[in-house]
Structures are given as C-alpha cells and as structure tokens.
C-alpha cells in the first residue's frame, strides 16, 4: 500500500452547512477511487473537496467523473481540479515507465489476507477535530457475501471506541471509500475492492466492499483510468499472483532495446481483430472443461502481444487470466498449481511452451482437476515433439496435447495488403517510440517527437522480411536513432539488429563504468559477457560467475563484478540471478554474432554450463540458425551450425538437456536436420544404456527415440540406417503392445506406418506395403474407439498406404485410399488448420497423382493446384520448414499441367521447382534433397524439350542422370528405375542434338539397367 495516495473526501450535505467525510485512494495523479454513497449525490466542485492529509490540510476542489450505486456496486471516480497547486504523490510521479496500480480478483475459496487504510470516526482527534488514519488487517472469506456480489472483510484486531461526543453511529464511519489491497506474494499489492459499509459486528470488525472486478467491467470506468494514466487496467488473480507474470510490467527503459520488449508495450496494440475474435470464441464457446490451443510463429511475429491483449480483454469480464512465469522451467521442482483452481472461467497463457514440456504436462494434469471452464493457450516458435511426445504423461494428458488445435500466426500486415498500411504502421511505431525515447538514459537529448513525425519510411517495406512485425518496428526504432544526433557508424545494408546493438553498446559502456561496478573493460568484452547471459541463464551468482569464467578477456576477479553488472543490467524474474538482453530475437542475433566472431568458445561454454544452461544454450543457437536462414542470411546460419557441430564433437551433454532440446526442435526444418540427427542419436545411445539396466521403465522411451532417429536418418538420406532403426522400434513396440495394448498399440501403429516409408526408401515394396496395411488396420480399430485422438494418424496411414499400393501398380486401390485420406484431412483442417494444413496439402498432391495414374487427368489438376496454394501460404510464413514441400508440389503440378496440354504453365512450374531445389541444396546436405531434386530436373528436361528448348533440356537431363547414378549406386532397389528413365530421356535429348554416338551409349546403359530390373523383378 502506498500511504501517500490516501485522501480525505469532504462533501457538503444537502440543505445544511455540515459536511460529510469519507476515504479515498488515488489510482492516478488526479483521479480518486472512493465509494459513491460518500458523495451524497453531489457532483460539483463547490460541494466536493479532496485533501492529502500527509501534505497538509489544504482542500482542493474536485468533481465526480463516474459513479454507480446499486445493490452490487458502490463506487465513484473523483477528479481533482488541475492548476490549483495540487501535488502529485511521489508514487504516481512516473506514469510512462511504471503502471500506477495493479488490480486483483480473489478467485479461490480459502480466506485471503487483505489490508485497508482510511479515516474512520474513531480516529477523530478530540482536540482539534482532525481525522487521523487507521489501518486494518483482516481477511476476506470468499463464500461470505458471494451471492450479493460483494466482499466481506472480517478482523478480530482490537479497535478504538468512537467518542460519544461525536454523536451516534459506527466507529468506522468515514472508512467508506478506502482501498482494499492484497499482497501479490512478491512485494507488490493488488487493489481488489473499495470499502462500502460497516456491518457493526458485535465482536471484532465486519466491513463490506465492492469488488474491483465489477468496476473494470464498466467501459467508462476503464476509459477514464486509461485517459488519466496511459495504462489500460487489467485484472489479476490474487491467489495465483506468485505463479504468473504481472498484467502490467514496469517499463524498465534502461536501453534502446528495452523498447522492443513485448511486455513494455511501448507501441500501441492494433489490428489482429480476426485472431482476437477467433480466440475469444474458443475461450467462451465449447464445454465448460479444460481445452488447449497452440499458437506458433517466428520470434517477433506478435504472439505474446496478442495473448496479452486476449488476457486483458477477458479479465474485464470476470475471467481469471494470466501468463505463467517464464522462469518456471523443467529443471526446477514443479510448483504448486493449486492456486490456479477456481470456479471462475480461467485462461492461462504458457509462453516458451516448447522449452518446458514436462512443466506443461504437470500443469495440464493439475488443471484437469477443475470442474469448470479452463482454457490453456500455448505459445511456441513452432510445433514439434514437445507437444506430441508422451514424456511420461498420463494418457488423458497425452491425448489432450496431441489433439490440441495449432494456429500459425499470420503476419500482422501481409504483403497482400497495400504497402501504405506498412508505411502507416511504421510511422505509428516511430511516434510511439519517440514518446518514450527521452526516458532512455543513454539516448541523447533531442526532439524525438518532431523527428518521428517527419521520418520517411523505408522504400522496401513490401519486402518479405517486414512480414514480421518486430522487424518493422525495430526498423522504425533504428531509423529514429540513426537520424538522431548520435547515429551509429554502420555501412548501408546493415541489419536492423546490428544497428540496434551498436546503440546498445553505448549503454553497456556507461553502466559498466558506474561506481558500483568500475569495470574498465573494452566494449567487445562487455558484449561477450552480455552474449553469455543470453546463451546461459543462471539461478545463482555462482552459476553466473562459472560460465563467465569462459570469457578469455575476463580475469578471475572480474567475473564476479561482471556477473553483478549483468544482473543489474538485465534484471531477472524471482527465481533467477540474471535476465537477458531482450527481445529474444535481438539476444539470439547478438549471441550468434559473438560466437561467429570468436568472442567465446562454444565448447568451453558447454563444458562449464549446468544442465539447464546447456539446454538454453543449444535452444538459443538453434533459434538463431533458423532466424538467419529465414532472413536469407544463409552464410550466417551455416557458420553457426558449423560452430555448434564442432562444439558437440567433444561436449559432454546432460541427458535431460538433450531430451529438452530435441523435443523443442521444430519439425520439417531441413537446415537443422543434421543437428536433430546428432541429438537424437545421442539420446538413443543413452536410452539403450538405461533400458539395459531397467527395461520396464526405459524401453518405451528407447523405442520412441529409435523411431525419431529413423526419421532423422531418412531426412539426411541415410535410408538403410533409417530402416534398421525403425525395425528395432517396431520390434520393441510389438512386445510392449502385446503386454499392454491400451497404452502401446498406438505406438506400434505409428511405428509401422513409419516402417512402410523406410522399406519404400530402400526399395522393398512388398515389405513396405505389408507394414502400411498393418498400420491402417490398427488405426481403423483405434479411431473407431477414439476418433479425436486417432483420426489424424489414420488419415496419414491411409495416405501412406496409397503410396505403397501405387508402387505395386494397384492404382484403383491407391486412389481409393488417398480419397479417404483427403476426406479425413479436410474435416481435420476445418477444425485445426494449423496442425493439418500441411498434411492436407501433401494428401491433395498425392490425390492428383493417383487420379492421373487411372487416366482422370482433368480431375487431377484441381487437387494439385490446391496443394501448391496451401504450400505457398505456409512457405511465406515459414520458409525454412515449407520450401521443400512447395518445391515438390510444383514438380507435381508441372506434370498435371503438361498432361492437360498447358505446356507453358507446366514449364514455369518445373523451372520454379528446380530453382527452389537449387537454393535448398546450398542450405542443407545435398543428400537431403537429392531424390526430389533429381526428379525435378528430369521433369524439367521433358518440359523444356516439349517447348522447343532443346539445349536447356539436354543440360537438365545430364544433371538428373548424374544425381541418379549416385543415388542408384547407394540404393539400387530404390532408384534404378528412375535411373533407367533418366538415361532413356538423356539418350533422346542427345539424339535430338545430333550427338548420336553419345545417345547410343546412354540408351545402352539404360537397357543394362532395365535388364537388371527385369532379373530382380523375376526373382
């Protein structure tokens, strides 16, 4: 409680010269919250005054701006007149960087301690008549007064009797309007009500209060508060405050980068109407039970701001909302989530969900106990094993996570909208940032507002990089700084992140030289220390000092002071020693730059890091790799991957760190496929050792890791090893499913479906078909018992079966199987596009191929075109993950267009596919893309030849044959047929070019391959 905010309110009573007195509490510099009945119906400045008794007895005229008095609410807002010498309380002097007041809602059923202070009659000084103050500590028992919509405060503390000379009535008369506050458990307070009346209990004290939740539900009340403070009020659960981040943070504007933090909310929230409506509908609709949803998108896409807006809106309507503290991790003892249990509707947001999958499962397990409406919104960079893996969770929790709808957050201002929308957003951001720049200690004095108003947006705002809203806003900030009096000396084309870090470096230098630290270190050493903090969180000063000891330029005695400097530089959440440079994307860029420049040895850092620090370190580096790739800085991403690869050669990694990082890795991102393979292989080796010692506990985990390893090996072109790994997984799952079918039959079905792919990759079509048929059989049974949990897997198994049937020329059956898969995927995508759009696109592309195989070429074109359209949208949002399937779908579309005689369009699609594959081949191991790249080249050669481009056709055919020779040498069963076709095509192109001798050689080689195929087929 802030004592300097307590005020006395005096009101002239109707028809008399007497004045009544009540209590109030300043919630803005000139805005007082009190009880409406204190006003006695008066509203004018000639009848109403406000006094701050701690600054003297001067009365200031005031007027009523809002009031409501009925059976539920008794509250008012009074505005003190401006310009009369009113002194703003010190605790309300900084509204730009500190929220003036947090508001709380009591959500549980257990008694809650509260405190209040005001000016009751029993504290009237008999000598001079002054009203002195009284503080009461009591408790609210939520079940008392609930039906009346009020709080009842009870206390057994002794109180003073009222002076009989002051007349009859309550000794608490005058306390009405006092603010009721609860402790948030972390040293702050939450205003949860305004005192209404004394119930004149016979023993002790019993007061009533209006819950502040009723006030925040009023649009006018909220608007007035926002008008006076610049902060929109939000409601926070009192009992769970220690588990959640505050709804309104202090804007700790210590450096330019701090303006970019999502929780600083320096830039006004706008847009996202469709997404908010969708999320509100999900929260308010459906059964009153636990429901989960996942929101994914790259760093800086706006996930956290959108979620904060959602929680604020719902809190105005008596929802219990909050964001789980980000410092609660898998490496800490699990907290007690009991305070979250409430009969009120509940929304909890979990950011960084992919980095704390076990804590997430514990939270879901505890929230399952609720019998009321609970919504859990999970924010993550991408979907992945963190959501779908069992991780020892109960079956109900596994099913709920696996079936959770996943939404990929689209750009705030997509390129389909006029570029003027981005220009407007740029100017809006610049103006908002200019308002706060004077608060940055290292920012020079300047008329930033005038500069922002005159600032011209960049000419290239239509570029895809501005799909990311943080990039646009970051560009607005650095453009402001670069046009200010102290621009950074950077060459044209420097990334915005780099420019901001140059400005941030000035802050590091100034703060390090402060008397508290006296760090006479070069800027490069300070920057390296900041990178270490970004890479490795720390729970204690010892852990922080230990990782800092790996910085070559830091002497032993300097590590302790540098750790303390970092802890003050970027303050941490309660259970952490230091925080990090923010926002995350800036920290990741800085850490990657430091590693690339050799400022620190990643090997040394991994060796010094504790298990939790190892996991954070690898996660940060992986995110930076993907961010560089998506920003078309492929050389930077490759350099960083090489550094990580070298470090992992000698690193001794903690088992839990490997598990956490592996689970958090995004799916379908080829650039990190080698890293995923290395981590999964290490995990398999560890699980093999554990399973040998305790098979009952560790065999399920071993089998799952073997199946994951098979997938990773396949994606890097090591198909024989992939097959071996999946066969081991199936063998274990067969045994486990025989003993416990309810738990392990889904695992067996999934592994069999994967095994079908692995057999096909190595060319054994009979075994591939048998595995696919068994998988479909199992999934049909599982989906019949639990459609929600197993329909997605049934659809995938049906699509896989279609491919296997096609490979043995059973085309009608293949078409029927793929049709069934598309039907299921359409239903699934309608309810959960984020999860199933990719699968629908893949199934549509295959459906087009199946239709073409049975001669229905006109019908085949529509699904092929739809598949490409879906992949284009996905690749626009996440190129690292979706460019490969887009390239494949373009090759497929090219064939469908050619079959219906649209050869010009067919050639364009084929050329685009090859162009994408060439790009991909430079960004990932060639083996990852070789089969598809070879197929696209072979297809392009045909399209070029048919459109009269014979020289180009010959070049493409020669390149395709070269790739197929290498593939067939390693895996003849899988690739000799394609080699035969490509050699035949090459012979045709050579003959067309008049190179008859070479054409004959190619045809002879094709015939030799065909003879081998015929012999193998006969066998």
């Amino acid at each position: 409680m802030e004592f300097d905010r307590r005020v006395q309110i005096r009101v002239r009573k109707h028809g008399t010269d007497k004045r009544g007195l009540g209590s109030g509490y300043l919630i803005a510099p000139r805005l007082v919250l009190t009880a409406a009945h204190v006003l006695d119906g008066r509203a004018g400045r000639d009848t109403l005054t406000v006094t701050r008794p701690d600054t003297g007895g001067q009365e200031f005229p005031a007027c009523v701006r809002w009031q409501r008095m009925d059976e539920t609410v008794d509250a008012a807002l009074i505005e003190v007149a401006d310009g009369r010498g009113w002194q703003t309380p010190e605790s309300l002097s900084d509204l730009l960087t500190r929220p003036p007041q947090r508001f709380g809602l009591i959500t549980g059923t257990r008694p809650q301690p509260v405190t209040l202070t005001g000016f009751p009659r029993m504290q009237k000084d008999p000598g001079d008549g002054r009203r002195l103050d009284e503080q009461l500590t009591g408790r609210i028992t939520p079940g008392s007064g609930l039906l009346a919509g009020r709080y009842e405060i009870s206390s057994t503390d002794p109180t003073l009797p009222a002076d009989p000379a002051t007349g009859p009535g309550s000794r608490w008369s005058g306390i009405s309007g006092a603010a009721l506050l609860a402790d948030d458990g972390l040293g702050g307070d939450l205003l949860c009500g305004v005192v209404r009346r004394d119930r004149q209990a016979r023993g002790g004290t019993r007061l009533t209060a209006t819950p502040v939740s009723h006030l925040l539900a009023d649009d006018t009340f909220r608007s007035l508060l926002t008008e006076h403070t610049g902060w929109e009020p939000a409601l926070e659960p009192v009992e769970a405050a220690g588990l959640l981040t505050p709804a309104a943070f202090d804007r700790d504007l210590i450096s330019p980068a701090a303006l970019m933090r999502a929780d600083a909310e320096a830039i006004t929230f706008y847009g996202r109407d469709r997404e908010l409506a969708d999320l509100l509908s999900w929260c308010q609709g459906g059964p009153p039970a636990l429901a989960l949803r996942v929101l994914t998108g790259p760093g800086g896409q706006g996930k956290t701001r959108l979620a904060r807006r959602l929680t604020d809106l719902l809190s105005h309507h008596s929802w219990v909302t909050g964001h789980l503290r980000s410092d609660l991790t898998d490496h800490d003892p699990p907290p007690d989530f009991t305070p979250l249990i409430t009969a009120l509707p509940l929304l909890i947001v979990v950011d960084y969900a992919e980095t704390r999958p076990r804590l997430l499962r514990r939270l879901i397990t505890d929230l399952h106990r609720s019998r009321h409406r609970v919504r859990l919104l999970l924010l993550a960079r991408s979907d992945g094993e963190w959501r779908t893996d069992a991780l020892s969770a109960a079956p109900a929790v596994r099913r709920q996570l696996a079936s959770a709808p996943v939404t990929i957050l689209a750009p705030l201002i997509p390129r389909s909208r006029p570029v003027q929308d981005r220009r407007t957003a740029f100017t809006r951001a610049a103006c908002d940032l200019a308002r706060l720049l004077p608060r940055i200690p290292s920012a020079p004095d300047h008329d930033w507002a005038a500069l922002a108003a005159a600032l011209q947006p960049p000419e290239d705002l239509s570029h895809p990089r501005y799909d990311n809203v943080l990039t646009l806003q970051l560009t607005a900030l650095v453009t402001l700084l670069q046009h200010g009096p102290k621009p950074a000396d950077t060459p044209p084309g420097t990334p915005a992140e780099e420019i901001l870090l140059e400005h941030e470096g000035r802050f590091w230098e100034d703060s390090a030289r402060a008397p508290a630290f006296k760090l006479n270190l070069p800027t490069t050493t300070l920057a390296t220390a900041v990178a270490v903090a970004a890479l490795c969180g720390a729970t204690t000063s010892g852990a922080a000092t230990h990782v800092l000891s790996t910085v070559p330029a830091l002497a032993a005695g300097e590590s302790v002071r540098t750790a303390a400097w970092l802890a003050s530089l970027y303050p941490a959440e309660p259970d952490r020693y230091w925080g990090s440079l923010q926002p995350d994307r800036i920290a990741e860029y800085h850490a990657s730059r430091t590693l690339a420049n050799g400022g620190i040895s990643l090997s040394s850092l991994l060796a010094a890091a504790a298990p939790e620090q190892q996991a954070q370190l690898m996660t940060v580096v992986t995110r930076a790799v993907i961010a560089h790739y998506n920003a078309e800085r492929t050389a930077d991403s490759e350099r960083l991957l090489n550094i990580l690869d070298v470090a992992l050669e000698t690193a001794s990694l903690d088992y839990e760190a490997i598990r956490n990082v592996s689970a958090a890795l995004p799916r379908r991102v080829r650039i990190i496929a080698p890293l995923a393979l290395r981590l999964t292989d290490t995990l398999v080796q560890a699980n093999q050792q554990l399973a040998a010692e305790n098979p009952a506990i560790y065999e399920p985990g071993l089998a799952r890791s073997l199946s994951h390893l098979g997938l990773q090996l396949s994606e890097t072109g090591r198909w024989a090893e992939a097959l071996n790994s999946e066969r081991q997984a199936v063998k274990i799952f067969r045994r486990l499913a025989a003993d416990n079918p309810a738990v392990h039959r889904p695992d067996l079905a999934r592994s069999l479906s994967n095994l079908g792919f692995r057999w096909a990759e190595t060319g054994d079509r009979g075994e591939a078909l048998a595995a696919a048929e068994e998988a479909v059989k199992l999934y049909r049974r599982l989906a019949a018992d639990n459609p929600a949990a197993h329909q997605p897997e049934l659809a995938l198994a049906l699509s896989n079966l279609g491919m296997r049937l096609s490979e043995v020329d059973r085309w009608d059956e293949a078409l029927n199987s793929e049709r069934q898969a598309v039907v299921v995927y359409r239903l699934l995508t309608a309810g959960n596009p984020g999860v199933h759009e990719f699968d629908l696109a893949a199934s549509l592309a295959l459906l087009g191929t199946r239709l073409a195989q049975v001669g229905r070429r006109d019908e085949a074109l529509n699904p092929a075109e739809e598949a490409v359209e879906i992949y284009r949208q996905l690749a626009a949002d996440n190129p690292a993950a979706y460019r490969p399937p887009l390239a494949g779908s373009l090759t497929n579309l090219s064939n469908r267009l050619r079959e219906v005689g649209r050869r010009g369009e067919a050639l364009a699609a084929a050329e685009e596919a090859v162009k994408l594959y060439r790009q991909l081949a430079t960004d990932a191991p060639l083996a990852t893309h070789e089969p598809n790249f070879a197929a696209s080249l072979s297809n392009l050669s045909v399209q070029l030849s048919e459109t009269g481009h014979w020289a180009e056709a010959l070049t493409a055919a020669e390149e395709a044959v070269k790739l197929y020779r290498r593939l067939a040498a390693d895996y003849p069963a899988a690739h000799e047929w394609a080699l035969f076709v490509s050699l035949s095509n090459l012979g045709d192109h050579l003959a067309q070019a008049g190179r008859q001798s070479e054409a004959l050689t190619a045809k002879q080689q094709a015939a030799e391959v065909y003879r081998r195929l015929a012999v193998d087929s006969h066998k």
Side-chain angles (χ1 to χ4, degrees):
M1 174 175 287
E2 301 288 354
F3 287 151
D4 64 352
R5 300 190 192 184
R6 302 171 302 169
V7 299
Q8 295 174 347
I9 299 166
R10 290 178 172 83
V11 183
R12 182 175 289 111
K13 295 187 176 182
H14 281 291
T16 71
D17 291 331
K18 295 182 178 180
R19 296 198 299 173
L21 184 143
S23 301
Y25 194 75
L26 283 158
I27 55 176
R30 294 188 300 109
L31 198 64
V32 178
L33 175 64
T34 188
H37 78 265
V38 167
L39 306 178
D40 196 30
R42 300 301 183 95
R45 286 191 171 92
D46 58 335
T47 59
L48 181 62
T49 65
V50 172
T51 301
R52 284 185 59 205
D54 57 334
T55 60
Q58 183 178 353
E59 297 183 25
F60 295 88
C63 66
V64 178
R65 292 293 307 273
W66 175 90
Q67 64 178 321
R68 177 180 162 192
M69 187 170 176
D70 52 39
E71 292 183 356
T72 305
V73 175
D74 180 358
L77 288 175
I78 300 171
E79 183 180 71
V80 180
D82 195 12
R84 305 291 184 94
W86 173 261
Q87 294 181 18
T88 297
E90 189 175 61
S91 66
L92 287 169
S93 61
D94 180 10
L95 293 184
L96 272 178
T97 62
R98 302 194 67 184
Q101 181 62 58
R102 293 165 60 201
F103 298 91
L105 174 67
I106 294 170
T107 62
T109 59
R110 297 178 181 177
Q112 179 64 37
V114 291
T115 187
L116 60 95
T117 183
F119 308 94
R121 188 165 69 97
M122 62 180 164
Q123 282 286 17
K124 185 173 183 179
D125 190 302
D128 58 14
R130 285 187 307 144
R131 285 288 181 99
L132 303 179
D133 47 357
E134 175 79 12
Q135 182 172 354
L136 175 72
T137 299
R139 65 179 190 173
I140 293 174
T141 305
S144 298
L146 182 64
L147 294 177
R150 66 181 181 231
Y151 291 147
E152 302 230 353
I153 308 107
S154 58
S155 175
T156 56
D157 289 352
T159 58
L160 298 171
D163 185 350
T166 61
S170 165
R171 66 189 187 280
W172 285 102
S173 177
I175 199 70
S176 296
L180 186 65
L181 295 118
D183 194 323
D184 71 352
L186 299 171
D189 58 45
L190 296 163
L191 197 160
C192 52
V194 55
V195 174
R196 189 167 184 170
R197 295 190 181 278
D198 174 23
R199 300 200 70 184
Q200 302 190 33
R202 292 182 181 178
T205 299
R206 188 78 169 263
L207 305 176
T208 66
T210 299
V212 75
S213 58
H214 296 328
L215 312 185
L216 293 185
D218 187 289
D219 292 342
T220 305
F221 181 94
R222 292 198 314 276
S223 295
L224 275 170
L225 198 51
T226 304
E227 173 192 324
H228 273 258
T229 66
W231 297 77
E232 188 170 351
L235 205 56
E236 304 177 48
V238 171
E239 295 93 329
L243 293 169
L244 307 172
T245 58
F249 281 84
D250 288 1
R251 291 178 180 141
D252 200 5
L253 302 180
I254 55 176
S255 69
L259 292 168
M260 293 288 98
R261 292 175 60 111
D263 53 32
E265 298 186 348
I267 298 169
T268 306
F269 182 91
Y270 66 95
R272 298 291 188 198
D273 294 339
R274 180 177 59 82
E275 291 90 345
L276 276 171
D278 179 42
L279 288 167
L280 285 167
S281 175
W282 167 68
C283 288
Q284 295 166 340
L290 174 64
L292 275 62
R293 188 156 178 180
V294 182
L295 186 65
T296 68
Q301 193 79 333
K303 302 182 295 296
T304 303
R305 284 298 302 272
L306 175 60
R308 287 178 66 84
R309 184 63 176 171
L310 176 67
T311 53
D312 288 352
L313 289 174
L314 286 172
S315 78
H316 300 156
H317 300 284
S318 297
W319 274 69
V320 180
T321 67
H323 295 242
L324 195 69
R325 275 172 35 201
S326 61
D327 62 324
L328 300 175
T329 72
D330 281 1
H331 300 273
D332 304 309
D336 178 13
F337 289 119
T338 303
L340 292 173
I341 303 301
T342 176
L344 296 168
L346 172 69
L347 168 64
I348 297 298
V349 177
V350 182
D351 210 342
Y352 307 104
E354 74 272 35
T355 67
R356 38 185 178 167
R358 286 165 185 78
L359 181 75
L360 174 60
R361 283 154 177 77
R362 171 65 182 268
L363 174 62
I364 296 169
T365 301
D366 286 358
L367 292 179
H368 257 295
R369 292 160 36 204
S370 175
R371 300 174 183 270
H372 304 279
R373 182 176 297 275
V374 178
R375 297 293 181 262
L376 196 58
L377 180 61
L378 312 179
L379 309 183
R381 292 282 181 97
S382 60
D383 196 15
E385 294 169 15
W386 66 268
R387 181 180 67 87
T388 56
D389 269 15
L391 297 179
S392 304
V397 175
R398 292 167 57 182
R399 286 195 297 271
Q400 191 127 29
L401 264 172
S403 60
V406 178
T407 301
I408 300 172
L409 187 61
L412 177 64
I413 309 174
R415 275 166 281 156
S416 58
R417 283 168 51 179
V419 73
Q420 182 58 41
D421 289 356
R422 291 187 175 183
R423 293 194 184 103
T424 302
F426 175 92
T427 302
R428 182 190 293 120
C431 291
D432 284 348
L433 292 164
R435 182 173 61 92
L436 292 172
L437 262 175
R439 294 282 176 163
I440 306 294
S442 60
D445 291 335
H446 192 64
D447 189 349
W448 295 106
L451 175 58
L455 208 61
Q456 290 299 311
E459 293 295 328
D460 64 342
L461 284 180
S462 60
H463 191 277
R465 66 173 171 273
Y466 295 109
D467 290 352
N468 186 282
V469 67
L470 177 61
T471 301
L472 188 147
Q473 294 171 352
L474 179 59
T475 303
L477 175 59
V478 299
T479 306
L480 266 177
L481 293 171
Q482 291 298 87
H483 283 77
K486 289 186 179 180
D489 185 14
T490 56
T494 301
E497 295 92 339
E498 186 86 25
I499 299 172
L500 180 60
L501 287 166
E502 290 294 320
H503 287 275
E504 196 78 359
R506 297 169 183 170
F507 162 59
W508 299 336
E509 293 169 355
D510 292 344
S511 59
R513 287 194 294 262
F517 307 110
K518 296 181 180 178
L519 289 171
N520 297 314
L521 298 172
T523 305
T524 52
T525 305
L526 296 174
T528 301
V530 172
V532 170
L535 287 163
C536 303
T539 56
T540 65
S541 60
T545 303
H546 190 56
V547 291
L548 279 176
S549 67
T550 63
V551 178
L554 275 182
E558 291 174 325
S559 293
V560 174
R561 284 185 292 130
T562 305
W565 168 68
L566 285 165
S568 69
L569 197 68
Y570 300 114
E573 294 199 55
D575 292 338
R576 292 291 178 269
Y577 176 71
W578 62 23
S580 172
L581 171 66
Q582 289 288 318
D584 290 335
R585 210 179 85 193
I586 304 299
E588 291 155 12
Y589 182 94
H590 175 57
S592 71
R593 183 183 68 168
T594 304
L595 289 169
N597 292 341
I600 190 169
S601 162
L602 187 55
S603 298
S604 300
L605 202 53
L606 277 170
E612 179 181 357
Q613 293 172 316
Q614 286 185 341
Q616 179 174 327
L617 193 158
M618 288 188 286
T619 299
V620 170
V621 173
T622 303
R623 287 176 167 178
V625 167
I626 296 170
H628 282 309
Y629 179 87
N630 285 340
E632 300 179 347
R633 298 189 294 264
T634 54
D636 292 329
S637 64
E638 289 171 1
R639 187 181 307 116
L640 197 54
L641 272 175
N642 288 336
I643 291 169
L644 182 56
D645 195 51
V646 170
L648 291 178
E649 287 288 346
T650 56
S652 177
L653 298 178
D654 177 76
Y655 175 75
E656 289 299 329
I658 299 170
R659 286 216 305 176
N660 284 356
V661 174
S662 296
L665 289 177
R667 292 172 170 172
R668 307 183 183 106
V669 179
R670 300 295 181 93
I671 190 68
I672 60 167
L675 172 63
L677 174 58
R678 175 189 284 275
L679 292 176
T680 307
D681 188 42
T682 305
L683 196 59
V684 165
Q685 293 176 41
N687 282 334
Q688 286 171 332
Q689 186 173 344
L690 291 167
E693 297 167 0
N694 192 339
I697 297 295
Y698 292 106
E699 270 202 332
L702 171 59
R704 292 187 188 101
S705 62
L706 282 164
S707 191
H708 290 320
L709 180 60
L711 177 61
Q712 303 295 349
L713 287 163
S714 170
E715 289 187 348
T716 53
R718 294 162 61 178
W719 297 303
E721 296 167 83
L723 173 61
N724 181 54
S725 187
E726 196 65 63
R727 290 180 73 183
Q728 292 180 60
V730 167
K731 183 178 180 180
I732 296 172
F733 279 134
R734 279 201 194 280
R735 186 169 61 252
L736 293 171
D739 295 337
N740 192 343
V743 172
H744 294 296
R745 188 174 284 158
D747 295 320
L748 174 59
R750 190 176 303 113
S751 193
L752 281 165
S753 191
N754 291 339
L755 182 61
F757 269 108
R758 304 295 84 83
W759 278 119
E761 286 165 348
T762 54
D764 196 325
R765 296 174 179 177
E767 291 285 3
L769 178 58
E773 287 176 326
E774 186 179 358
V776 166
K777 184 178 179 181
L778 284 173
Y779 274 130
R780 287 196 191 280
R781 192 184 313 166
L782 290 164
D785 295 337
N786 191 340
H790 298 295
Q791 269 197 329
E793 292 164 314
L794 172 60
L796 179 59
L798 284 165
S799 192
N800 293 346
L801 177 59
M803 284 188 276
R804 306 292 80 86
L805 288 164
S806 173
E807 287 164 354
V808 294
D809 298 342
R810 291 162 60 178
W811 292 324
D812 287 325
E813 294 169 83
L815 173 59
N816 181 54
S817 187
E818 199 63 62
R819 278 193 188 281
Q820 292 179 59
V822 167
V823 168
V824 177
Y825 276 134
R826 284 204 187 280
L827 291 171
L828 292 167
T829 302
N832 193 350
V835 170
H836 300 295
E837 265 191 329
F838 173 86
D839 300 309
L840 173 60
S843 193
L844 284 165
L846 289 169
L847 178 60
T849 301
R850 303 292 162 259
L851 287 164
Q853 285 170 338
V854 296
R856 297 159 69 171
R857 295 176 177 176
D858 290 331
E859 292 178 65
L861 183 58
N862 285 338
E865 289 176 324
E866 187 179 354
V868 168
E869 182 59 32
I870 294 172
Y871 281 135
R872 281 200 195 281
Q873 293 171 3
L874 292 171
D877 295 335
N878 190 346
Y882 295 110
R883 275 179 182 164
L886 172 60
S889 68
L890 283 162
T891 297
N892 182 62
L893 176 61
S894 171
N895 285 321
R896 303 293 80 80
L897 288 163
R898 172 175 171 265
E899 288 163 354
V900 295
R902 292 162 60 176
R903 291 182 175 173
E905 295 168 81
L907 175 58
E911 288 175 328
E912 185 181 356
V914 168
K915 182 180 178 181
L916 276 172
Y917 277 127
R918 287 198 192 284
Q919 203 171 18
L920 290 164
T922 65
D923 301 337
L926 185 58
T928 304
H929 304 293
E930 265 190 334
N932 292 328
F933 188 17
S936 71
L937 284 164
S938 188
N939 175 60
L940 177 61
S941 72
V942 174
Q943 309 289 2
L944 287 164
S945 176
E946 291 184 349
T947 52
H949 299 79
W950 296 295
E952 295 99 317
L954 176 56
T955 301
E958 288 174 328
E959 191 175 357
V961 166
K962 183 178 178 181
L963 287 173
Y964 276 130
R965 284 192 195 281
R966 185 159 60 239
L967 288 164
D970 293 336
Y971 300 98
H975 298 294
E976 280 207 315
W977 174 258
L979 175 59
F980 157 71
V981 173
S982 65
L983 281 165
S984 297
N985 290 343
L986 177 60
D988 292 339
H989 296 313
L990 287 165
Q992 209 164 31
R995 295 159 61 178
Q996 302 300 333
S997 175
E998 294 169 86
L1000 178 59
T1001 300
K1003 289 290 187 180
Q1004 288 172 335
Q1005 290 173 354
E1008 179 58 33
V1009 174
Y1010 192 83
R1011 276 193 288 273
R1012 286 200 301 268
L1013 288 167
V1015 171
D1016 291 340
S1017 177
H1018 178 71
K1019 288 180 180 179

